């Protein structure tokens, strides 16, 4: 990016010296205030892209720590990259991936719509139906049961 030149106020008593400000991408900093290198950030983003594209978010028991270990990074770096690039914390990021996935699948897959909610929750990597239902309602504003019923009613109509 081009540096921006700013002139001091003409009424200032100081000599006019151009001030150069570099426009840069926002730096990602870890909890100690140290900036993450661009290489580290890009490596984590690449790993997250693979994680999403291969549907690995459907595995049971995924935690920030387990994912950081898989990515060969630490939890602080992974958390900062998710917060900065996704605009959400790890739990919300994981839940959103799962709910977006199942919302689309439910629209397309009649067989999946016939499953009981605990089976759907299990297929998405949730430990119980309550966690699935709460995440689903938070993301969509409705419960999974009502969502499925609305899909079925719209197909019948």
């Amino acid at each position: 990016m081009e540096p921006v030149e700013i002139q001091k106020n003409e009424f200032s008593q100081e000599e006019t010296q151009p001030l150069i400000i570099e426009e840069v991408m926002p730096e990602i900093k870890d909890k100690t205030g140290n900036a993450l290198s661009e290489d580290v950030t890009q490596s984590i983003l690449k790993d997250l892209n693979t994680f999403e594209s291969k549907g690995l978010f459907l595995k049971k028991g995924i935690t920030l720590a387990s994912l950081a270990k898989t990515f060969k990074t630490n939890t602080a770096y992974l958390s900062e990259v998710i917060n900065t690039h996704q605009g959400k914390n790890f739990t919300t990021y994981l839940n959103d991936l799962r709910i977006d996935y199942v919302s689309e699948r439910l629209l397309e897959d009649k067989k999946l719509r016939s499953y009981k909610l605990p089976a759907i929750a299990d297929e998405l990597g949730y430990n119980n139906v309550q966690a699935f239902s709460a995440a689903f309602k938070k993301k969509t504003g409705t419960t999974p049961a009502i969502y499925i019923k609305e899909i079925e009613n719209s197909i019948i109509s």
Side-chain angles (χ1 to χ4, degrees):
M1 292 193 169
E2 297 284 324
V4 178
E5 191 173 299
I6 299 176
Q7 297 290 331
K8 290 190 179 182
N9 183 334
E10 64 183 82
F11 300 107
S12 170
Q13 301 211 353
E14 299 173 31
E15 276 186 40
T16 309
Q17 294 281 336
L19 177 66
I20 305 295
I21 299 175
E22 300 262 343
E23 292 182 38
V24 294
M25 262 183 57
E27 260 184 347
I28 300 177
K29 297 187 181 223
D30 65 16
K31 292 185 190 238
T32 63
N34 297 325
L36 270 63
S37 76
E38 186 62 25
D39 289 348
V40 170
T41 301
Q42 289 307 315
S43 174
I44 292 171
L45 287 171
K46 182 178 172 233
D47 288 340
L48 285 170
N49 188 42
T50 302
F51 174 73
E52 292 175 23
S53 65
K54 291 190 174 184
L56 300 176
F57 54 86
L58 299 173
K59 283 181 61 180
K60 243 187 181 149
I62 297 171
T63 63
L64 182 65
S66 69
L67 198 57
K69 188 175 180 181
T70 301
F71 291 176
K72 294 180 175 50
T73 189
N74 64 50
T75 57
Y77 289 2
L78 178 57
S79 180
E80 280 303 317
V81 170
I82 290 170
N83 289 339
T84 303
H85 288 271
Q86 300 295 329
K88 51 188 95 165
N89 66 31
F90 174 75
T91 302
T92 303
Y93 167 70
L94 184 61
N95 283 332
D96 284 357
L97 287 172
R98 289 172 170 176
I99 301 308
D100 288 344
Y101 171 83
V102 77
S103 297
E104 198 170 303
R105 284 258 339 264
L106 286 168
L107 283 169
E108 299 166 356
D109 188 347
K110 181 181 172 110
K111 184 178 178 187
L112 182 62
R113 289 194 301 270
S114 71
Y115 288 10
K116 300 276 186 210
L117 290 182
I120 295 172
D122 187 62
E123 203 170 289
L124 294 174
Y126 286 99
N127 292 324
N128 58 62
V129 72
Q130 292 83 4
F132 164 57
S133 294
F136 193 95
K137 185 162 187 173
K138 182 178 178 185
K139 174 86 171 135
T140 66
T142 190
T143 65
I146 291 172
Y147 184 80
I148 292 168
K149 200 172 283 185
E150 286 174 351
I151 293 170
E152 291 294 331
N153 289 340
S154 71
I155 291 170
I156 294 170
S157 303

